[in-house]
């Protein structure tokens, strides 16, 4: 499989998918489960969105070629 082909990844509940400041080389689509998007607000991570099946996240880093502006954590077992 080449790096250009879609890949399925599985994350256990509570697993960090990526952190703010990480390099942006992938975007994700949720097939099952849910993901919390977190922003650092004065040193405290706050949930700004909870995403579910069919939703896409992490795409802004691909679009603007910058580092991740937020963190993503699996809220439950997620594919």
């Amino acid at each position: 499989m080449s790096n250009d082909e879609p890949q399925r990844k599985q994350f256990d509940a509570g697993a960090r998918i990526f952190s703010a400041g990480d390099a942006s080389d992938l975007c994700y689509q949720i097939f099952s489960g849910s993901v919390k998007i977190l922003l650092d607000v004065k040193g405290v991570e706050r949930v700004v969105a909870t995403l579910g099946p069919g939703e896409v996240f992490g795409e802004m880093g691909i679009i603007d070629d910058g580092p991740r502006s937020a963190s993503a954590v699996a809220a439950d077992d997620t594919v």
Side-chain angles (χ1 to χ4, degrees):
M1 178 178 346
S2 79
N3 289 337
D4 294 338
E5 294 180 26
Q7 300 175 23
R8 286 195 183 228
K9 295 185 176 190
Q10 189 164 343
F11 298 94
D12 293 333
R16 187 164 292 260
I17 299 167
F18 56 75
S19 296
D22 287 352
S24 299
D25 57 351
L26 298 171
C27 65
Y28 298 83
Q29 179 179 14
I30 302 168
F31 288 92
S32 64
S34 61
V35 173
K36 291 182 182 180
I37 304 300
L38 308 160
L39 282 177
D40 184 296
V41 179
K42 297 182 180 179
V44 177
E45 282 191 320
R46 306 250 184 221
V47 176
V48 295
T50 301
L51 307 175
E55 294 189 271
V56 174
F57 65 99
E59 73 285 356
M60 286 310 298
I62 302 288
I63 293 168
D64 69 13
D65 198 33
R68 302 280 186 200
S69 59
S71 298
V73 174
D76 28 59
D77 292 347
T78 300
V79 175

